[in-house]
Amino acid sequence: MSDKKSVGILVPCFNEEVVLPQFYSRVQSVIEKIDSIDFHYIFVNDGSSDRTIQLMHEFREKNSRVHIVDLSRNFGKETAMLAGLDYCDYDAVVIMDADLQDPPELLPEMIHWWREGFQDVYAKRKSRAGETWLKKTSSHLYYKILQRVTNVPIQVDVGDFRLLDRQCIEALKMFRECQRYTKGMFSWIGFDKKEILFDRDPRAAGKTKWNYFKLIDLAIEGITGFTIVPLRFASLLGSLLALGALGYMIYIVVKTLIFGVEIPGYASMTSIMLFIGGVQLLFLGVIGEYLGRVFNESKHRPIYLVKEYDGKKIIDQINRN
Ligand code: UDP
Ligand code: MG
């Protein structure tokens, strides 16, 4: 055994056959130049329906440092990352997208800061080439709101591309919630963080797996997973409305006593009723979001299932995690 440090490159993949060969050769050319570190790959196949898994096995045939976690179906990137962390036995891990949007050329810099003692070296995008105006502005706005309503400082323009040392990996593995918002967890765990800047390239090939529904889903996850401010807000708004209604009631009673009964007021009454009804339904929905979370987490189902690890069937799911 050498006392070389080992680093695992964790790559969640869902239908990435078109970029995977390019990804592998580009990462290879970077890590070949760093001989002070033992690099390994942890490819997580997140239920791809194309040739992704075959490609992974082809890499493994050539390179025994390629490891393959083959999930039993598509669980989503957040869960695929947890599976990769569970199967990572190295001194550190670097999480990377398969589409080369996270340039592997940043690895030496990450390793440098890790050696300086930083435990979470994360890459912040300077630019977001190849992303629509709508995606850019909506994500900017979302982070602003999230920052305001949660106690954890969520980093803006930071993805999952980062190097985490063993202590951070073990910390993240303790988060066994099935509705995951990993980005919030990275902030939550703390430890010594170091930010480095990079230009995010457009996807090298293939299509993004995200659509607006998935993004909205993740956005709600981020809020409901890290704060109960919306519930507080419901109580606050409810109290304000009740207080306003009380004031209005006193006004009406006094007015009726002095000036007698007045028939008009149909329009104002209907609009007030509709408004209150709408607010009630909205907050019923908010409560429902949290209740749904409680429901999902209370089932204590396994977060993911592994079909094969390095081509071998996994029977005992529990003891591996
Ligand atoms: N991914 C995954 N499971 C999914 C969706 C995506 O493992 O259900 C992986 C995907 O293969 C890629 C990474 O997550 O390596 C980022 O996905 P994508 O590039 O589609 O997202 P974007 O960069 O557009 O946010
Ligand atoms: Mg991408």
Side-chain angles (χ1 to χ4, degrees):
M1 274 293 280
S2 66
D3 48 20
K4 257 190 185 179
K5 292 270 189 200
S6 61
V7 172
I9 298 171
L10 165 52
V11 201
C13 302
F14 176 50
N15 291 344
E16 299 287 8
E17 62 175 2
V18 276
V19 280
L20 216 52
Q22 202 181 335
F23 171 85
Y24 180 73
S25 61
R26 195 157 136 201
V27 174
Q28 271 306 103
S29 67
V30 172
I31 63 179
E32 270 160 13
K33 293 188 206 113
I34 315 173
D35 8 88
S36 51
I37 301 271
D38 257 342
F39 281 100
H40 298 258
Y41 292 88
I42 309 150
F43 283 109
V44 181
N45 177 33
D46 189 16
S48 306
S49 52
D50 62 0
R51 292 191 63 253
T52 299
I53 185 76
Q54 280 95 317
L55 288 170
M56 290 175 179
H57 282 294
E58 279 167 29
F59 303 150
R60 186 170 157 73
E61 264 161 40
K62 284 183 284 181
N63 182 353
S64 61
R65 292 190 170 171
V66 170
H67 297 285
I68 307 164
V69 182
D70 190 13
L71 301 183
S72 64
R73 65 167 167 89
N74 178 257
F75 285 91
K77 182 186 177 187
E78 304 289 316
T79 305
M81 284 195 286
L82 175 71
L85 290 177
D86 284 338
Y87 278 80
C88 172
D89 300 324
Y90 313 110
D91 298 317
V93 73
V94 178
I95 306 175
M96 240 189 229
D97 282 1
D99 57 8
L100 289 167
Q101 280 194 288
D102 305 330
E105 289 72 23
L106 241 61
L107 274 171
E109 198 183 339
M110 287 182 158
I111 305 263
H112 166 78
W113 290 114
W114 178 45
R115 288 211 166 112
E116 294 284 305
F118 290 98
Q119 296 173 288
D120 176 1
V121 187
Y122 61 89
K124 185 182 165 117
R125 333 180 240 262
K126 273 189 286 185
S127 64
R128 295 171 145 229
E131 285 186 6
T132 59
W133 175 86
L134 189 65
K135 190 167 175 186
K136 277 187 239 180
T137 14
S138 54
S139 94
H140 181 75
L141 195 73
Y142 172 70
Y143 285 128
K144 271 238 160 108
I145 296 173
L146 194 62
Q147 193 89 284
R148 272 276 162 84
V149 298
T150 58
N151 305 328
V152 235
I154 310 265
Q155 294 132 343
V156 184
D157 274 342
V158 175
D160 302 318
F161 182 28
R162 55 178 74 227
L163 181 146
L164 298 158
D165 91 349
R166 195 71 232 165
Q167 210 175 0
C168 294
I169 301 173
E170 290 306 325
L172 287 168
K173 281 163 67 178
M174 294 169 74
F175 284 69
R176 307 312 289 188
E177 51 208 74
C178 61
Q179 283 177 272
R180 309 182 66 78
Y181 185 70
T182 315
K183 202 198 289 258
M185 297 172 188
F186 292 140
S187 300
W188 196 101
I189 59 168
F191 297 111
D192 298 331
K193 297 193 180 322
K194 172 77 192 167
E195 177 177 292
I196 58 177
L197 291 171
F198 80 113
D199 287 305
R200 186 153 165 103
D201 299 323
R203 202 171 228 285
K207 274 201 302 248
T208 173
K209 308 300 173 306
W210 288 103
N211 53 42
Y212 263 91
F213 284 116
K214 275 198 189 175
L215 276 181
I216 290 169
D217 221 48
L218 191 67
I220 294 178
E221 224 57 85
I223 292 182
T224 55
F226 283 87
T227 177
I228 54 161
V229 162
L231 293 176
R232 293 264 163 79
F233 189 68
S235 330
L236 195 72
L237 192 72
S239 326
L240 284 178
L241 278 175
L243 217 64
L246 186 73
Y248 190 62
M249 193 175 82
I250 294 171
Y251 164 76
I252 295 282
V253 168
V254 171
K255 205 175 125 190
T256 316
L257 284 179
I258 299 172
F259 300 104
V261 184
E262 205 187 338
I263 295 299
Y266 173 74
S268 57
M269 190 128 107
T270 326
S271 51
I272 288 171
M273 266 167 57
L274 286 178
F275 173 70
I276 306 275
V279 171
Q280 279 178 336
L281 281 183
L282 175 72
F283 284 113
L284 212 54
V286 172
I287 296 171
E289 280 295 331
Y290 285 94
L291 188 65
R293 255 193 102 82
V294 173
F295 170 68
N296 281 333
E297 301 297 346
S298 66
K299 284 187 279 190
H300 295 297
R301 288 196 182 162
I303 304 168
Y304 61 85
L305 292 175
V306 181
K307 189 159 76 181
E308 287 182 347
Y309 177 66
D310 283 351
K312 279 193 285 296
K313 266 210 185 86
I314 295 291
I315 306 290
D316 188 1
Q317 300 278 348
I318 294 163
N319 288 335
R320 186 54 234 205
N321 302 342

